[in-house]
Amino acid sequence: MPNILITGAASGLGKAFVTAYLKDPDNSVFAVDKSFSPPNTYNVLHAADAYRKNVGNDKTNTLHMFTVDVRDETGISTQLKDVKDVDLLVHSAGVRGLERSVSIMRSDDVAEAETMDVATAETMADTFDVNAVGTFLIIRALLPKLRLGGGSKVIIMGSRMGSMGSNTTGGGYAYRASKAAVNAIVKSFSIDVPEVVFAIVHPGRVESGLVAVKEDGAMSAEESVGDVMGLIGRFGTEDSGKFFDRFGKEVLW
């Protein structure tokens, strides 16, 4: 039974990955997020059972849910202490890095919330903390839980906004910087841990809940995940340390 761990599992891409992988009863899915709604009253076992049944999976013990903040090393170690033999880690937890002081009522407002003039040190630091530091901490903590003998894959949901070669429009300071840092972090992991396949995937512009409105041209998380899952299945050692779009085309660093 393949063991699949997915971060950011309560919403957006993460939830779509959990739902998709649970449709195969042979998969054992570990869903990780900093909170599962409603907060503080959530019956994890009951919810996991309901979630599993909602996707048509009648097999028991195929979904396990953990409340973990990817920035909390102690929480990661404590909550995930019994997780082992992970075949696939899909890391989709992240934030968009928009300034809260800017009202976002329509798609055009998104760009206004990440300009040079409105960017603050607080938002820059918070976005880097979640997207870059959190990526490093969760991967490092889970390395001993992967099948280091070969075959494990670590797939990071990146963004073309983190590509310096693709940046032709400017803006997006907090998000671009944090995602560029993610690229550097994952590249180093691919060199330091060559027995694991590490890949970054830009899932496309997705209606993921990271912003309050649907951005122009955004697709559903389910549509994106359908493409990305096919790509994950094809990834091999020759793809480790590379950055791809959801169709398998390499993205400029």
Side-chain angles (χ1 to χ4, degrees):
M1 176 180 289
N3 294 322
I4 301 166
L5 192 147
I6 299 165
T7 70
S11 62
L13 284 166
K15 186 175 181 180
F17 274 116
V18 171
T19 302
Y21 278 116
L22 272 178
K23 289 178 180 177
D24 184 343
D26 289 334
N27 292 333
S28 182
V29 178
F30 303 94
V32 174
D33 210 305
K34 67 177 182 179
S35 67
F36 290 94
S37 152
N40 303 322
T41 60
Y42 195 78
N43 184 321
V44 174
L45 293 177
H46 174 74
D49 185 57
Y51 199 174
R52 176 179 54 78
K53 290 178 180 177
N54 284 341
V55 296
N57 182 350
D58 292 326
K59 206 167 184 178
T60 59
N61 300 320
T62 57
L63 175 64
H64 314 270
M65 303 177 86
F66 301 90
T67 302
V68 179
D69 189 322
V70 295
R71 299 167 296 178
D72 180 3
E73 286 188 275
T74 301
I76 294 170
S77 299
T78 302
Q79 295 297 320
L80 302 180
K81 61 181 173 56
D82 294 327
V83 173
K84 60 181 180 180
D85 296 333
V86 174
D87 298 284
L88 172 63
L89 165 60
V90 179
H91 178 53
S92 62
V95 296
R96 188 65 169 80
L98 303 177
E99 286 300 330
R100 297 183 183 91
S101 62
V102 178
S103 178
I104 299 176
M105 304 298 293
R106 54 197 178 88
S107 182
D108 291 346
D109 295 332
V110 175
E112 297 301 316
E114 52 184 358
T115 65
M116 174 179 65
D117 293 330
V118 303
T120 63
E122 180 183 11
T123 295
M124 293 281 288
D126 288 347
T127 306
F128 193 91
D129 193 31
V130 175
N131 291 351
V133 178
T135 295
F136 172 74
L137 293 178
I138 192 71
I139 293 176
R140 185 175 68 175
L142 291 174
L143 281 178
K145 300 177 180 296
L146 301 178
R147 296 188 191 275
L148 294 181
S152 284
K153 300 177 183 180
V154 175
I155 310 300
I156 309 301
M157 292 300 101
S159 173
R160 199 182 297 273
M161 285 186 72
S163 163
M164 286 178 279
S166 299
N167 184 0
T168 60
T169 58
Y173 288 89
Y175 192 64
R176 286 191 190 279
S178 69
K179 286 299 190 178
V182 167
N183 292 348
I185 289 166
V186 176
K187 180 65 175 180
S188 283
F189 272 122
S190 73
I191 295 169
D192 293 337
V193 192
E195 57 269 36
V196 172
V197 173
F198 293 88
I200 305 162
V201 177
H202 168 62
R205 179 170 288 187
V206 178
E207 190 178 3
S208 63
L210 290 181
V211 295
V213 297
K214 180 179 179 179
E215 296 184 80
D216 291 340
M219 74 189 87
S220 70
E222 290 74 19
E223 180 181 352
S224 173
V225 163
D227 293 328
V228 175
M229 284 177 62
L231 193 61
I232 291 172
R234 298 193 297 272
F235 279 149
T237 54
E238 68 279 5
D239 302 306
S240 194
K242 297 179 181 179
F243 185 10
F244 300 91
D245 68 14
R246 75 182 198 276
F247 302 115
K249 182 179 178 180
E250 282 198 58
V251 178
L252 293 172
W253 290 114

